[in-house]
Amino acid sequence: MQGFIDLLNKVMPDLLQGTVVTLQIAVVSLALGMIIGLPVGVGRVYGPAWLQRLLGAYITLFQGTPLLIQLFMVYYGLPDIGITLGRLQAAFLTLGLNSAAYQAEYLRSALQSVSEGQMVAARAIGMSKWQAIWSIILPQAVRLALPAWSNEAVAMLKYTSVVFLIAVPDLMGQAKILASRYFAPIQIYLIVAVFYIVLVGVTYLILTTIERRVRIPGLTGDAA
Amino acid sequence: MTSPILRLEDVHKSYGALQVLKGVSLTVQPREVVVLVGPSGSGKSTLLRCINLLNPPTKGRIWLEDQEITAPGVNQDRVRQRIGMVFQEFNLFTHLTALGNVMIGLVKVRKMRKNEARDLAMFELERVGLADRANYYPAQLSGGQKQRVAIARALGMDPHIMLFDEPTSALDPELTGEVLAVMQKLASEGMTMIVVSHEMGFARQVADRIVFMEGGVVVEEGTPQQMFEQPRHERTRAFLRNIAQ
């Protein structure tokens, strides 16, 4: 037991540093995913046919291939066409684009579950199509998409762990280094697993609080 | 003779091969209340949606006041501001309170300031007797209250004419009265209204004119007295007799 506590003391600073990197990647990627995913989701539903197909292809590409391959393509592949990214930048971009594809799909299904009458009523008081989307449809769809979005945020925390394969010193990256430094892989990975669980738990708590705060009676996608 | 507020000339509407409206001409005078009746599928709702250009006609012309709104290049969003519409299914904005439902058009479309919009929205809610429900969400209102909020929302846009598409058909019988009362009050204040409804009591009392449609055309029109007591067409007689029972 004493040995374990000694080990914990020794690895703690590095693991905390790794946690900061992991959180940073998750937050930036989710934000990037939201900034890209929102217009993609809206374009998927309300855009012209050619745009819908184009965005569909983007989503299929990122949902249909392993995240690791996407990461390698961005980090090792893009330099071939003259785009060289740092490790962290590659991590942000890959996870951001990947998350955008998922977030766009959650938003699409939420947008489609807002009843047709909402758009009709908005147009009837003189709103343009885009005014109606922005002021009436999106505020409802975002709330409807929130539970799925929470799952995405939690999943993202764990997906970030692939970045250790391009040597980003995130929680997983630190774990790998420490595991070989102290010849204690099982203990180290167990400790790291606990770190992830705590991160996920806290994230989940924050998001369910937000969900509760923005909940509106009767907003379930049925007609009002 | 004043100039008509609304004039339809040979309005047709088809969806693919399906012809719903087969040449409807109709003139509505300011302050007139027209009740549109007819069997389901006769094109009444379609006609209303043609008038406010939610589904523009495939053929024919419509004038609102002095403007031909079916002319190319007309700003349809601006036209709809002048035409209030109330739906069978209410279609209140689910994520907004009663007050928010009335306010949003004032802020986003009429570009009023928030506090100005709030005052006017409260005034409109008072008009339909729902000032005390201003902060309720649609899901917390009864059907009749929802429909009154929907009327207040339409009134907020200061429409020149109001279209009602079976406003009480989705309501329990005990709730239709409160909605019809609001509509009757509007009519007495001089609002021009076209009402699709099967409420014959309302038609008798409030309508200046009843228009009977069937198969995408106007079969007959006249004052309630003419239509109920001496309709010219056998179809009108049969329909009104059926519906009155």
Side-chain angles (χ1 to χ4, degrees):
Chain A
M1 192 62 202
Q2 188 56 47
F4 183 72
I5 290 172
D6 286 344
L7 181 66
L8 206 54
N9 280 330
K10 277 186 278 191
V11 300
M12 198 51 99
D14 285 350
L15 289 185
L16 286 176
Q17 259 180 24
T19 303
V20 171
V21 175
T22 289
L23 278 176
Q24 190 189 1
I25 295 171
V27 167
V28 172
S29 302
L30 279 171
L32 193 61
M34 201 186 304
I35 292 166
I36 300 169
L38 189 93
V40 171
V42 171
R44 268 287 267 164
V45 179
Y46 294 106
W50 63 267
L51 184 64
Q52 292 190 21
R53 274 197 299 276
L54 188 73
L55 297 174
Y58 158 70
I59 289 164
T60 306
L61 185 69
F62 276 89
Q63 287 193 338
T65 58
L67 181 54
L68 195 51
I69 293 181
Q70 295 166 17
L71 184 66
F72 284 171
M73 288 300 154
V74 168
Y75 187 63
Y76 298 116
L78 285 187
D80 286 353
I81 55 167
I83 304 169
T84 304
L85 297 173
R87 297 173 200 285
L88 215 48
Q89 287 171 316
F92 291 155
L93 184 64
T94 309
L95 287 164
L97 287 174
N98 181 280
S99 185
Y102 283 93
Q103 293 189 41
E105 279 297 272
Y106 299 141
L107 187 62
R108 180 185 62 81
S109 81
L111 286 167
Q112 286 172 337
S113 69
V114 174
S115 80
E116 191 65 32
Q118 299 286 305
M119 173 64 88
V120 174
R123 299 307 302 275
I125 57 170
M127 286 193 186
S128 68
K129 177 180 167 188
W130 291 103
Q131 260 183 330
I133 291 169
W134 185 252
S135 307
I136 305 297
I137 311 292
L138 261 182
Q140 298 184 40
V142 166
R143 285 181 173 84
L144 294 172
L146 206 50
W149 194 88
S150 300
N151 290 340
E152 169 68 12
V154 165
M156 173 58 79
L157 271 173
K158 295 174 288 170
Y159 288 150
T160 54
S161 62
V162 300
V163 302
F164 89 97
L165 286 160
I166 57 168
V168 173
D170 74 325
L171 195 48
M172 194 67 183
Q174 296 287 6
K176 183 171 170 275
I177 296 165
L178 295 169
S180 51
R181 185 187 299 161
Y182 296 107
F183 306 109
I186 303 294
Q187 289 93 322
I188 301 277
Y189 285 121
L190 266 178
I191 295 168
V192 168
V194 172
F195 268 69
Y196 276 108
I197 280 196
V198 171
L199 288 182
V200 165
V202 170
T203 305
Y204 191 75
L205 268 178
I206 294 172
L207 290 171
T208 46
T209 306
I210 293 175
E211 270 176 53
R212 217 174 27 246
R213 284 274 171 81
V214 302
R215 185 175 299 156
I216 286 173
L219 185 47
T220 56
D222 303 331
Chain B
M1 176 106 180
T2 53
S3 62
I5 191 165
L6 181 75
R7 192 152 63 85
L8 279 68
E9 191 183 277
D10 196 30
V11 166
H12 288 68
K13 178 73 189 178
S14 318
Y15 296 94
L18 179 69
Q19 272 199 306
V20 182
L21 297 178
K22 301 170 186 167
V24 174
S25 296
L26 187 70
T27 303
V28 179
Q29 301 298 332
R31 307 174 74 86
E32 200 179 11
V33 177
V34 175
V35 171
L36 209 54
V37 298
S40 69
S42 57
K44 306 171 306 258
S45 297
T46 305
L47 188 66
L48 292 191
R49 283 165 178 249
C50 276
I51 292 171
N52 75 353
L53 305 177
L54 279 174
N55 298 328
T58 32
K59 193 183 147 210
R61 306 207 283 174
I62 301 175
W63 283 265
L64 179 64
E65 290 156 336
D66 297 329
Q67 186 190 15
E68 190 201 331
I69 60 175
T70 41
V74 166
N75 183 334
Q76 301 191 342
D77 298 332
R78 298 290 283 276
V79 170
R80 283 192 207 99
Q81 277 182 53
R82 289 189 279 151
I83 305 176
M85 179 133 184
V86 174
F87 303 90
Q88 180 178 349
E89 298 297 336
F90 326 128
N91 293 341
L92 288 184
F93 303 132
T94 318
H95 65 303
L96 298 174
T97 60
L99 185 68
N101 264 275
V102 185
M103 270 179 74
I104 193 153
L106 306 179
V107 174
K108 302 286 176 185
V109 180
R110 290 183 68 185
K111 310 286 180 201
M112 291 171 70
R113 287 164 195 248
K114 274 251 167 86
N115 34 0
E116 237 182 306
R118 186 172 292 111
D119 291 346
L120 179 55
M122 276 311 293
F123 170 77
E124 298 297 356
L125 284 177
E126 266 162 40
R127 248 174 118 179
V128 299
L130 285 175
D132 59 330
R133 292 288 184 273
N135 294 317
Y136 285 50
Y137 285 98
Q140 299 165 321
L141 299 171
S142 73
Q145 290 171 337
K146 282 185 212 180
Q147 195 60 299
R148 283 148 69 197
V149 173
I151 292 172
R153 174 175 69 182
L155 288 175
M157 303 311 291
D158 198 17
H160 300 196
I161 181 168
M162 290 272 287
L163 312 178
F164 293 83
D165 190 1
E166 304 207 26
T168 58
S169 297
L171 296 177
D172 294 333
E174 74 265 26
L175 298 178
T176 58
E178 64 187 63
V179 173
L180 293 176
V182 167
M183 290 168 62
Q184 185 159 10
K185 186 170 137 222
L186 271 183
S188 69
E189 289 167 7
M191 176 62 75
T192 310
M193 295 163 48
I194 302 179
V195 184
V196 172
S197 178
H198 297 297
E199 295 290 338
M200 288 305 112
F202 176 84
R204 251 180 216 281
Q205 281 189 309
V206 183
D208 297 301
R209 187 152 48 111
I210 294 179
V211 174
F212 174 59
M213 276 182 77
E214 189 173 51
V217 295
V218 172
V219 175
E220 183 171 356
E221 54 181 299
T223 63
Q225 200 184 2
Q226 283 167 357
M227 294 292 275
F228 283 111
E229 283 159 28
Q230 43 204 308
R232 288 189 304 275
H233 291 261
E234 182 48 38
R235 275 301 304 150
T236 313
R237 189 193 309 273
F239 179 82
L240 290 176
R241 194 189 314 121
N242 261 333
I243 211 170
Q245 282 166 1

PDB file of all heavy atoms in Angstrom, chain B residues 153-178:
ATOM      1  N   ARG B 153     -51.079  36.924 -31.044  1.00  0.00           N
ATOM      2  CA  ARG B 153     -49.833  36.963 -31.810  1.00  0.00           C
ATOM      3  C   ARG B 153     -50.075  37.551 -33.198  1.00  0.00           C
ATOM      4  O   ARG B 153     -49.302  38.377 -33.679  1.00  0.00           O
ATOM      5  CB  ARG B 153     -49.260  35.546 -31.928  1.00  0.00           C
ATOM      6  CG  ARG B 153     -48.040  35.463 -32.822  1.00  0.00           C
ATOM      7  CD  ARG B 153     -47.434  34.076 -32.810  1.00  0.00           C
ATOM      8  NE  ARG B 153     -48.298  33.086 -33.462  1.00  0.00           N
ATOM      9  CZ  ARG B 153     -48.007  31.789 -33.553  1.00  0.00           C
ATOM     10  NH1 ARG B 153     -46.894  31.323 -33.017  1.00  0.00           N
ATOM     11  NH2 ARG B 153     -48.826  30.959 -34.150  1.00  0.00           N
ATOM     12  N   ALA B 154     -51.165  37.106 -33.822  1.00  0.00           N
ATOM     13  CA  ALA B 154     -51.479  37.623 -35.157  1.00  0.00           C
ATOM     14  C   ALA B 154     -51.854  39.102 -35.089  1.00  0.00           C
ATOM     15  O   ALA B 154     -51.419  39.908 -35.912  1.00  0.00           O
ATOM     16  CB  ALA B 154     -52.611  36.806 -35.772  1.00  0.00           C
ATOM     17  N   LEU B 155     -52.623  39.480 -34.053  1.00  0.00           N
ATOM     18  CA  LEU B 155     -53.057  40.876 -33.927  1.00  0.00           C
ATOM     19  C   LEU B 155     -51.879  41.817 -33.711  1.00  0.00           C
ATOM     20  O   LEU B 155     -51.891  42.959 -34.156  1.00  0.00           O
ATOM     21  CB  LEU B 155     -54.036  41.016 -32.752  1.00  0.00           C
ATOM     22  CG  LEU B 155     -55.420  40.419 -32.949  1.00  0.00           C
ATOM     23  CD1 LEU B 155     -56.219  40.529 -31.656  1.00  0.00           C
ATOM     24  CD2 LEU B 155     -56.143  41.117 -34.093  1.00  0.00           C
ATOM     25  N   GLY B 156     -50.860  41.308 -33.013  1.00  0.00           N
ATOM     26  CA  GLY B 156     -49.684  42.133 -32.744  1.00  0.00           C
ATOM     27  C   GLY B 156     -49.032  42.666 -34.001  1.00  0.00           C
ATOM     28  O   GLY B 156     -48.418  43.737 -33.990  1.00  0.00           O
ATOM     29  N   MET B 157     -49.166  41.942 -35.077  1.00  0.00           N
ATOM     30  CA  MET B 157     -48.542  42.372 -36.328  1.00  0.00           C
ATOM     31  C   MET B 157     -49.362  43.466 -37.018  1.00  0.00           C
ATOM     32  O   MET B 157     -49.017  43.918 -38.090  1.00  0.00           O
ATOM     33  CB  MET B 157     -48.358  41.182 -37.283  1.00  0.00           C
ATOM     34  CG  MET B 157     -47.545  40.025 -36.715  1.00  0.00           C
ATOM     35  SD  MET B 157     -45.997  40.541 -35.956  1.00  0.00           S
ATOM     36  CE  MET B 157     -45.077  41.055 -37.395  1.00  0.00           C
ATOM     37  N   ASP B 158     -50.480  43.856 -36.375  1.00  0.00           N
ATOM     38  CA  ASP B 158     -51.340  44.903 -36.907  1.00  0.00           C
ATOM     39  C   ASP B 158     -51.848  44.554 -38.314  1.00  0.00           C
ATOM     40  O   ASP B 158     -51.680  45.324 -39.264  1.00  0.00           O
ATOM     41  CB  ASP B 158     -50.571  46.232 -36.938  1.00  0.00           C
ATOM     42  CG  ASP B 158     -51.524  47.412 -37.055  1.00  0.00           C
ATOM     43  OD1 ASP B 158     -52.726  47.225 -36.784  1.00  0.00           O
ATOM     44  OD2 ASP B 158     -51.067  48.502 -37.430  1.00  0.00           O
ATOM     45  N   PRO B 159     -52.470  43.384 -38.440  1.00  0.00           N
ATOM     46  CA  PRO B 159     -52.885  42.921 -39.767  1.00  0.00           C
ATOM     47  C   PRO B 159     -54.069  43.722 -40.304  1.00  0.00           C
ATOM     48  O   PRO B 159     -54.856  44.250 -39.515  1.00  0.00           O
ATOM     49  CB  PRO B 159     -53.292  41.468 -39.512  1.00  0.00           C
ATOM     50  CG  PRO B 159     -53.750  41.453 -38.090  1.00  0.00           C
ATOM     51  CD  PRO B 159     -52.882  42.449 -37.374  1.00  0.00           C
ATOM     52  N   HIS B 160     -54.153  43.800 -41.610  1.00  0.00           N
ATOM     53  CA  HIS B 160     -55.280  44.492 -42.232  1.00  0.00           C
ATOM     54  C   HIS B 160     -56.443  43.541 -42.454  1.00  0.00           C
ATOM     55  O   HIS B 160     -57.566  43.952 -42.681  1.00  0.00           O
ATOM     56  CB  HIS B 160     -54.853  45.105 -43.567  1.00  0.00           C
ATOM     57  CG  HIS B 160     -53.749  46.105 -43.414  1.00  0.00           C
ATOM     58  ND1 HIS B 160     -53.415  47.000 -44.375  1.00  0.00           N
ATOM     59  CD2 HIS B 160     -52.892  46.344 -42.372  1.00  0.00           C
ATOM     60  CE1 HIS B 160     -52.412  47.757 -43.964  1.00  0.00           C
ATOM     61  NE2 HIS B 160     -52.072  47.360 -42.754  1.00  0.00           N
ATOM     62  N   ILE B 161     -56.115  42.262 -42.419  1.00  0.00           N
ATOM     63  CA  ILE B 161     -57.148  41.236 -42.590  1.00  0.00           C
ATOM     64  C   ILE B 161     -56.682  39.996 -41.820  1.00  0.00           C
ATOM     65  O   ILE B 161     -55.486  39.756 -41.696  1.00  0.00           O
ATOM     66  CB  ILE B 161     -57.364  40.925 -44.094  1.00  0.00           C
ATOM     67  CG1 ILE B 161     -58.458  39.876 -44.300  1.00  0.00           C
ATOM     68  CG2 ILE B 161     -56.080  40.469 -44.766  1.00  0.00           C
ATOM     69  CD1 ILE B 161     -58.897  39.749 -45.768  1.00  0.00           C
ATOM     70  N   MET B 162     -57.646  39.255 -41.277  1.00  0.00           N
ATOM     71  CA  MET B 162     -57.295  38.053 -40.518  1.00  0.00           C
ATOM     72  C   MET B 162     -57.911  36.825 -41.166  1.00  0.00           C
ATOM     73  O   MET B 162     -59.088  36.830 -41.543  1.00  0.00           O
ATOM     74  CB  MET B 162     -57.829  38.151 -39.080  1.00  0.00           C
ATOM     75  CG  MET B 162     -57.119  39.171 -38.202  1.00  0.00           C
ATOM     76  SD  MET B 162     -55.671  38.471 -37.368  1.00  0.00           S
ATOM     77  CE  MET B 162     -56.434  37.424 -36.139  1.00  0.00           C
ATOM     78  N   LEU B 163     -57.093  35.769 -41.274  1.00  0.00           N
ATOM     79  CA  LEU B 163     -57.577  34.498 -41.807  1.00  0.00           C
ATOM     80  C   LEU B 163     -57.630  33.487 -40.664  1.00  0.00           C
ATOM     81  O   LEU B 163     -56.668  33.352 -39.923  1.00  0.00           O
ATOM     82  CB  LEU B 163     -56.622  33.986 -42.896  1.00  0.00           C
ATOM     83  CG  LEU B 163     -56.202  34.978 -43.975  1.00  0.00           C
ATOM     84  CD1 LEU B 163     -55.204  34.317 -44.938  1.00  0.00           C
ATOM     85  CD2 LEU B 163     -57.415  35.496 -44.744  1.00  0.00           C
ATOM     86  N   PHE B 164     -58.741  32.813 -40.521  1.00  0.00           N
ATOM     87  CA  PHE B 164     -58.878  31.785 -39.479  1.00  0.00           C
ATOM     88  C   PHE B 164     -59.123  30.447 -40.154  1.00  0.00           C
ATOM     89  O   PHE B 164     -60.114  30.268 -40.853  1.00  0.00           O
ATOM     90  CB  PHE B 164     -60.069  32.104 -38.557  1.00  0.00           C
ATOM     91  CG  PHE B 164     -59.883  33.346 -37.728  1.00  0.00           C
ATOM     92  CD1 PHE B 164     -60.164  34.596 -38.253  1.00  0.00           C
ATOM     93  CD2 PHE B 164     -59.427  33.256 -36.417  1.00  0.00           C
ATOM     94  CE1 PHE B 164     -60.008  35.746 -37.486  1.00  0.00           C
ATOM     95  CE2 PHE B 164     -59.271  34.403 -35.643  1.00  0.00           C
ATOM     96  CZ  PHE B 164     -59.548  35.642 -36.178  1.00  0.00           C
ATOM     97  N   ASP B 165     -58.209  29.502 -39.937  1.00  0.00           N
ATOM     98  CA  ASP B 165     -58.336  28.189 -40.561  1.00  0.00           C
ATOM     99  C   ASP B 165     -58.869  27.186 -39.539  1.00  0.00           C
ATOM    100  O   ASP B 165     -58.115  26.620 -38.765  1.00  0.00           O
ATOM    101  CB  ASP B 165     -56.977  27.742 -41.108  1.00  0.00           C
ATOM    102  CG  ASP B 165     -57.101  26.507 -41.985  1.00  0.00           C
ATOM    103  OD1 ASP B 165     -58.233  26.022 -42.177  1.00  0.00           O
ATOM    104  OD2 ASP B 165     -56.060  26.020 -42.462  1.00  0.00           O
ATOM    105  N   GLU B 166     -60.155  26.974 -39.535  1.00  0.00           N
ATOM    106  CA  GLU B 166     -60.824  26.089 -38.569  1.00  0.00           C
ATOM    107  C   GLU B 166     -60.303  26.306 -37.152  1.00  0.00           C
ATOM    108  O   GLU B 166     -59.773  25.385 -36.526  1.00  0.00           O
ATOM    109  CB  GLU B 166     -60.630  24.624 -38.989  1.00  0.00           C
ATOM    110  CG  GLU B 166     -61.127  24.366 -40.395  1.00  0.00           C
ATOM    111  CD  GLU B 166     -61.555  22.921 -40.618  1.00  0.00           C
ATOM    112  OE1 GLU B 166     -61.926  22.272 -39.627  1.00  0.00           O
ATOM    113  OE2 GLU B 166     -61.511  22.471 -41.766  1.00  0.00           O
ATOM    114  N   PRO B 167     -60.467  27.522 -36.631  1.00  0.00           N
ATOM    115  CA  PRO B 167     -59.821  27.877 -35.363  1.00  0.00           C
ATOM    116  C   PRO B 167     -60.322  27.102 -34.154  1.00  0.00           C
ATOM    117  O   PRO B 167     -59.644  27.066 -33.141  1.00  0.00           O
ATOM    118  CB  PRO B 167     -60.135  29.368 -35.208  1.00  0.00           C
ATOM    119  CG  PRO B 167     -61.366  29.586 -36.015  1.00  0.00           C
ATOM    120  CD  PRO B 167     -61.261  28.637 -37.173  1.00  0.00           C
ATOM    121  N   THR B 168     -61.504  26.482 -34.266  1.00  0.00           N
ATOM    122  CA  THR B 168     -62.020  25.776 -33.087  1.00  0.00           C
ATOM    123  C   THR B 168     -62.132  24.268 -33.306  1.00  0.00           C
ATOM    124  O   THR B 168     -62.601  23.558 -32.425  1.00  0.00           O
ATOM    125  CB  THR B 168     -63.417  26.321 -32.688  1.00  0.00           C
ATOM    126  OG1 THR B 168     -64.304  26.174 -33.799  1.00  0.00           O
ATOM    127  CG2 THR B 168     -63.351  27.784 -32.301  1.00  0.00           C
ATOM    128  N   SER B 169     -61.657  23.784 -34.459  1.00  0.00           N
ATOM    129  CA  SER B 169     -61.861  22.364 -34.765  1.00  0.00           C
ATOM    130  C   SER B 169     -61.047  21.435 -33.875  1.00  0.00           C
ATOM    131  O   SER B 169     -61.397  20.278 -33.698  1.00  0.00           O
ATOM    132  CB  SER B 169     -61.514  22.080 -36.226  1.00  0.00           C
ATOM    133  OG  SER B 169     -62.380  22.809 -37.051  1.00  0.00           O
ATOM    134  N   ALA B 170     -59.919  21.944 -33.332  1.00  0.00           N
ATOM    135  CA  ALA B 170     -59.096  21.075 -32.496  1.00  0.00           C
ATOM    136  C   ALA B 170     -59.451  21.219 -31.018  1.00  0.00           C
ATOM    137  O   ALA B 170     -58.760  20.687 -30.160  1.00  0.00           O
ATOM    138  CB  ALA B 170     -57.621  21.397 -32.721  1.00  0.00           C
ATOM    139  N   LEU B 171     -60.518  21.953 -30.748  1.00  0.00           N
ATOM    140  CA  LEU B 171     -60.848  22.248 -29.343  1.00  0.00           C
ATOM    141  C   LEU B 171     -61.995  21.384 -28.833  1.00  0.00           C
ATOM    142  O   LEU B 171     -62.904  21.036 -29.587  1.00  0.00           O
ATOM    143  CB  LEU B 171     -61.262  23.714 -29.201  1.00  0.00           C
ATOM    144  CG  LEU B 171     -60.195  24.756 -29.509  1.00  0.00           C
ATOM    145  CD1 LEU B 171     -60.793  26.149 -29.397  1.00  0.00           C
ATOM    146  CD2 LEU B 171     -59.023  24.602 -28.569  1.00  0.00           C
ATOM    147  N   ASP B 172     -61.922  21.069 -27.545  1.00  0.00           N
ATOM    148  CA  ASP B 172     -63.081  20.440 -26.914  1.00  0.00           C
ATOM    149  C   ASP B 172     -64.246  21.424 -26.976  1.00  0.00           C
ATOM    150  O   ASP B 172     -64.045  22.633 -26.886  1.00  0.00           O
ATOM    151  CB  ASP B 172     -62.767  20.125 -25.443  1.00  0.00           C
ATOM    152  CG  ASP B 172     -61.677  19.075 -25.328  1.00  0.00           C
ATOM    153  OD1 ASP B 172     -61.540  18.267 -26.266  1.00  0.00           O
ATOM    154  OD2 ASP B 172     -60.958  19.086 -24.315  1.00  0.00           O
ATOM    155  N   PRO B 173     -65.476  20.893 -27.094  1.00  0.00           N
ATOM    156  CA  PRO B 173     -66.642  21.762 -27.260  1.00  0.00           C
ATOM    157  C   PRO B 173     -66.733  22.864 -26.205  1.00  0.00           C
ATOM    158  O   PRO B 173     -67.080  23.997 -26.519  1.00  0.00           O
ATOM    159  CB  PRO B 173     -67.819  20.797 -27.141  1.00  0.00           C
ATOM    160  CG  PRO B 173     -67.274  19.483 -27.566  1.00  0.00           C
ATOM    161  CD  PRO B 173     -65.834  19.479 -27.158  1.00  0.00           C
ATOM    162  N   GLU B 174     -66.358  22.552 -24.955  1.00  0.00           N
ATOM    163  CA  GLU B 174     -66.535  23.577 -23.916  1.00  0.00           C
ATOM    164  C   GLU B 174     -65.508  24.710 -24.036  1.00  0.00           C
ATOM    165  O   GLU B 174     -65.605  25.712 -23.342  1.00  0.00           O
ATOM    166  CB  GLU B 174     -66.511  22.955 -22.508  1.00  0.00           C
ATOM    167  CG  GLU B 174     -65.152  22.529 -22.024  1.00  0.00           C
ATOM    168  CD  GLU B 174     -64.884  21.048 -22.308  1.00  0.00           C
ATOM    169  OE1 GLU B 174     -65.482  20.505 -23.260  1.00  0.00           O
ATOM    170  OE2 GLU B 174     -64.074  20.464 -21.585  1.00  0.00           O
ATOM    171  N   LEU B 175     -64.522  24.531 -24.912  1.00  0.00           N
ATOM    172  CA  LEU B 175     -63.502  25.573 -25.058  1.00  0.00           C
ATOM    173  C   LEU B 175     -63.705  26.427 -26.308  1.00  0.00           C
ATOM    174  O   LEU B 175     -63.054  27.445 -26.482  1.00  0.00           O
ATOM    175  CB  LEU B 175     -62.099  24.942 -25.110  1.00  0.00           C
ATOM    176  CG  LEU B 175     -61.681  24.172 -23.858  1.00  0.00           C
ATOM    177  CD1 LEU B 175     -60.302  23.551 -24.057  1.00  0.00           C
ATOM    178  CD2 LEU B 175     -61.679  25.075 -22.639  1.00  0.00           C
ATOM    179  N   THR B 176     -64.618  25.981 -27.199  1.00  0.00           N
ATOM    180  CA  THR B 176     -64.788  26.733 -28.440  1.00  0.00           C
ATOM    181  C   THR B 176     -65.389  28.104 -28.172  1.00  0.00           C
ATOM    182  O   THR B 176     -65.049  29.077 -28.824  1.00  0.00           O
ATOM    183  CB  THR B 176     -65.699  25.987 -29.439  1.00  0.00           C
ATOM    184  OG1 THR B 176     -66.954  25.766 -28.809  1.00  0.00           O
ATOM    185  CG2 THR B 176     -65.098  24.666 -29.862  1.00  0.00           C
ATOM    186  N   GLY B 177     -66.252  28.178 -27.154  1.00  0.00           N
ATOM    187  CA  GLY B 177     -66.959  29.424 -26.867  1.00  0.00           C
ATOM    188  C   GLY B 177     -66.033  30.602 -26.635  1.00  0.00           C
ATOM    189  O   GLY B 177     -66.238  31.692 -27.166  1.00  0.00           O
ATOM    190  N   GLU B 178     -64.966  30.375 -25.830  1.00  0.00           N
ATOM    191  CA  GLU B 178     -64.084  31.489 -25.486  1.00  0.00           C
ATOM    192  C   GLU B 178     -63.344  32.005 -26.720  1.00  0.00           C
ATOM    193  O   GLU B 178     -63.071  33.201 -26.828  1.00  0.00           O
ATOM    194  CB  GLU B 178     -63.097  31.075 -24.385  1.00  0.00           C
ATOM    195  CG  GLU B 178     -62.131  29.968 -24.796  1.00  0.00           C
ATOM    196  CD  GLU B 178     -61.280  29.460 -23.628  1.00  0.00           C
ATOM    197  OE1 GLU B 178     -61.868  28.909 -22.672  1.00  0.00           O
ATOM    198  OE2 GLU B 178     -60.053  29.619 -23.675  1.00  0.00           O
TER     199      GLU B 178
END
